[in-house]
Amino acid sequence: MNDFHIDHRQVRRHFGAAARSYEKHDALQREVQTLLLDRLGFYLEEPARVVDVGAGPGRGTALLKKRWPKAQVIALDAALPMLHEAKRHSAWLKPFQRLCADATALPLPDHSVDVLHSNLCFQWIDDLPALFGECVRVLKTGGMLTFSTFGPDTLKELRAAWAAADGQPHVSRFLDMHDIGDAMINAGLRDPVLDVDRFTLTYSEPRKLLEELQGLGATNADATRARGLAGKSRYRAMLEAYETMRVDGRIPATWEVVTAHAWGPPPGQSRRIPGGGEMASFSINSLRGSRRR
């Protein structure tokens, strides 16, 4: 994971620019959202606070509010234009709050969240210890984290087509399920369960896929990407290479989707902190009477 670096300013800029077009292209995101909603069936309590990390235009947040109308539901996203769009989904009778922040620096108190939910956001974060460390910090004991992210086979056809054209990285890299699971355990999350599903979407031509990626804001954010335009000749070479991959007359695009859930650790379980070392937290009540008089 050491060579995996994301340009976070690029991510915010592109998703902000795609705020108004996002829901025209989010068929896969909606399908994966259904998988996450199924996982929430494991949470049997009535939550007081639910946070949707990387909420985008807020469609998923609205579904969480519909599921738990009495809970405080918060849409959190690093791209402010996305939160402006999310206001459309915040119903008058079932409103949710909107908060602009990064997933690795959640502006929430320790152990204040019952359900932490994120649909196809975590793939844009390269510091997994910081990400899952924040999840552990804000989750209540027994609180639920559920999320989806992309695995390394995502857009393998587009990656291969570009490799045939110029060998430069034009498609973002995504982490393996095992790296994600290890990071969850190292952060102190309890009983993580991860699954992988593969979706294949098809298009009439490669340009339709590229238009969809741009409409979603899901363009290459790899920090090692080549800067500037690819050049017309290399772009045409990529299209020609992709054309050779047609199946039944259609252009395929693979999406490897990792879905996962885990639970907030009990009080006193140590967690790793940035810069090294570990920290454990206890409630004041649990410490009473422990001091010698």
Side-chain angles (χ1 to χ4, degrees), residues 140-210:
K140 294 179 181 178
T141 296
M144 186 181 194
L145 166 66
T146 182
F147 68 90
S148 60
T149 186
F150 289 133
D153 274 353
T154 295
L155 296 175
K156 63 181 181 180
E157 299 90 353
L158 179 60
R159 186 176 284 106
W162 271 117
D166 68 0
Q168 295 291 328
H170 292 272
V171 182
S172 291
R173 293 172 290 173
F174 305 109
L175 292 176
D176 184 82
M177 177 179 72
H178 299 96
D179 292 326
I180 297 168
D182 288 345
M184 294 170 72
I185 292 171
N186 289 336
L189 288 160
R190 287 180 49 219
D191 303 326
V193 178
L194 296 91
D195 293 295
V196 172
D197 292 282
R198 285 176 175 82
F199 298 84
T200 301
L201 305 185
T202 64
Y203 303 85
S204 59
E205 57 178 320
R207 286 189 180 88
K208 295 298 183 181
L209 167 63
L210 300 176

Side-chain angles (χ1 to χ4, degrees), residues 14-193:
H14 282 195
F15 277 106
R20 292 190 175 182
S21 60
Y22 187 92
E23 290 188 277
K24 298 176 182 177
H25 304 280
D26 67 345
L28 176 66
Q29 284 72 13
R30 297 188 197 192
E31 183 68 23
V32 177
Q33 178 70 72
T34 301
L35 297 178
L36 287 186
L37 291 176
D38 289 342
R39 280 187 182 260
L40 290 175
F42 292 115
Y43 186 80
L44 304 179
E45 308 296 327
E46 187 66 31
R49 176 178 287 164
V50 178
V51 180
D52 188 11
V53 179
R59 180 180 293 275
T61 318
L63 293 174
L64 293 171
K65 185 64 178 180
K66 182 179 179 180
R67 187 185 191 102
W68 292 304
K70 295 180 180 179
Q72 178 193 36
V73 177
I74 301 172
L76 185 145
D77 203 281
L80 188 58
M82 283 289 191
L83 294 175
H84 291 324
E85 288 297 306
K87 187 176 181 181
R88 296 186 299 107
H89 288 296
S90 186
W92 180 69
L93 290 175
K94 292 186 177 68
F96 55 78
Q97 295 175 287
R98 292 167 293 145
L99 185 60
C100 189
D102 290 329
T104 55
L106 299 172
L108 299 165
D110 292 2
H111 312 306
S112 64
V113 178
D114 298 282
V115 176
L116 201 57
H117 166 281
S118 183
N119 185 30
L120 296 178
C121 163
F122 286 2
Q123 68 270 11
W124 305 113
I125 301 167
D126 51 9
D127 190 346
L128 293 189
L131 170 65
F132 291 126
E134 275 294 88
C135 293
V136 167
R137 182 185 68 79
V138 303
L139 276 174
K140 294 179 181 178
T141 296
M144 186 181 194
L145 166 66
T146 182
F147 68 90
S148 60
T149 186
F150 289 133
D153 274 353
T154 295
L155 296 175
K156 63 181 181 180
E157 299 90 353
L158 179 60
R159 186 176 284 106
W162 271 117
D166 68 0
Q168 295 291 328
H170 292 272
V171 182
S172 291
R173 293 172 290 173
F174 305 109
L175 292 176
D176 184 82
M177 177 179 72
H178 299 96
D179 292 326
I180 297 168
D182 288 345
M184 294 170 72
I185 292 171
N186 289 336
L189 288 160
R190 287 180 49 219
D191 303 326
V193 178

Side-chain angles (χ1 to χ4, degrees), residues 255-270:
W255 299 84
E256 181 183 359
V257 176
V258 178
T259 53
H261 72 265
W263 306 91
Q269 178 174 306
S270 62

